[in-house]
């Protein structure tokens, strides 16, 4: 890091260094969009976004469906991948999703009704929550690689019972012909 960032890397006091030796209590994740990333330190990259030493020398390319904001590509699988990566890389340290959401540009010609019927935001949230569910389910099922049959493990049943015990009410609402599940 010192070689890449040089003088902009903060200096740590001896007290800070001692605190850092103990590790971290949790990791916070801000996830909105996903990109494919190419390492430009060991690969040849074209000049463009991210091609500076202070940003870590990387190059991105879009991954997913283009949203209403410039350069916001929606790829819910990115949520699953980052959560699984953090879990595996940092020995299952507690993690919190500190930020996530769908940005929408203002359109001067939109009516109030058009703003209120935000189906793209519903798709975004539904996709990201489904991906989180997949990350949570990871390892709860045995997958027969030959047939791809999934069989729940004992832990899957325990998790199902845990969720059932800790929810108070489930009901359906109908949004523009689409049914969504809401858990309170």
């Amino acid at each position: 890091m010192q070689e890449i960032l040089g003088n902009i890397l903060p200096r740590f006091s001896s007290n800070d260094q001692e605190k850092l030796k103990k590790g971290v209590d949790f990791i916070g994740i801000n996830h909105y969009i996903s990109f494919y990333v190419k390492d430009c330190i060991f690969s040849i990259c074209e000049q463009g976004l991210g091609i500076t030493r202070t940003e870590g020398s990387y190059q991105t390319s879009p991954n997913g469906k283009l949203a209403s904001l410039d350069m916001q590509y929606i790829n819910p699988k990115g949520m699953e991948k980052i959560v699984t990566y953090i879990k595996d890389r940092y020995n299952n340290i507690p993690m919190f999703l500190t930020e996530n959401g769908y940005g929408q540009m203002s359109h001067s010609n939109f009516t109030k009704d058009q703003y209120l019927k935000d189906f793209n935001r519903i798709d975004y949230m539904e996709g990201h929550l489904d991906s989180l569910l997949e990350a949570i389910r990871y390892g709860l099922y045995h997958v027969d690689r030959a047939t791809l049959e999934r069989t729940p493990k004992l832990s899957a049943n325990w998790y199902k019972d845990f969720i059932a015990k800790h929810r108070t009410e489930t009901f359906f609402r109908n949004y523009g012909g689409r049914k969504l599940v809401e858990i309170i």
Side-chain angles (χ1 to χ4, degrees):
M1 287 180 70
Q2 288 176 333
E3 183 181 320
I4 292 172
L5 299 176
N7 292 336
I8 66 170
L9 185 66
R11 303 269 182 228
F12 296 106
S13 69
S14 56
N15 189 32
D16 290 338
Q17 290 175 10
E18 283 302 311
K19 287 179 186 177
L20 290 171
K21 285 181 184 177
K22 296 175 187 170
V24 296
D25 298 322
F26 65 90
I27 294 177
I29 299 172
N30 296 355
H31 181 272
Y32 295 94
I33 58 177
S34 299
F35 287 97
Y36 291 113
V37 178
K38 183 177 183 180
D39 178 357
C40 295
I41 293 175
F42 301 105
S43 304
I44 298 172
C45 294
E46 298 173 17
Q47 288 298 316
L49 183 65
I51 308 301
T52 68
R53 295 180 63 77
T54 59
E55 292 173 314
S57 296
Y58 64 90
Q59 186 172 30
T60 62
S61 60
N63 180 7
K65 174 184 163 190
L66 183 61
S68 66
L69 287 178
D70 288 339
M71 293 304 295
Q72 185 173 359
Y73 288 83
I74 300 170
N75 182 358
K77 277 301 217 188
M79 174 73 84
E80 177 184 349
K81 288 181 179 185
I82 191 65
V83 167
T84 302
Y85 172 79
I86 297 289
K87 176 189 139 319
D88 293 343
R89 173 69 173 86
Y90 296 100
N91 300 317
N92 207 20
I93 190 167
M95 66 181 97
F96 297 92
L97 296 174
T98 49
E99 289 187 21
N100 178 253
Y102 177 84
Q104 184 174 0
M105 294 184 71
S106 291
H107 298 281
S108 58
N109 58 340
F110 268 26
T111 66
K112 180 179 177 181
D113 191 50
Q114 286 174 301
Y115 277 114
L116 294 178
K117 292 183 179 174
D118 57 349
F119 294 114
N120 288 337
R121 183 170 283 109
I122 291 170
D123 289 341
Y124 180 93
M125 293 187 308
E126 181 178 45
H128 280 76
L129 292 172
D130 282 347
S131 287
L132 280 176
L133 183 58
E134 286 300 316
I136 292 168
R137 281 185 196 154
Y138 183 75
L140 298 180
Y141 290 81
H142 171 267
V143 179
D144 182 323
R145 299 293 179 203
T147 64
L148 297 181
E149 178 185 1
R150 295 169 50 94
T151 307
K153 296 178 183 176
L154 185 60
S155 55
N157 291 321
W158 173 87
Y159 185 71
K160 178 182 170 186
D161 293 342
F162 175 83
I163 293 298
K165 185 166 66 172
H166 290 88
R167 74 174 180 209
T168 57
E169 182 181 352
T170 301
F171 60 93
F172 292 88
R173 289 191 179 166
N174 192 333
Y175 290 94
R178 300 170 58 165
K179 287 191 176 179
L180 301 175
V181 177
E182 185 172 319
I183 300 174
I184 298 176

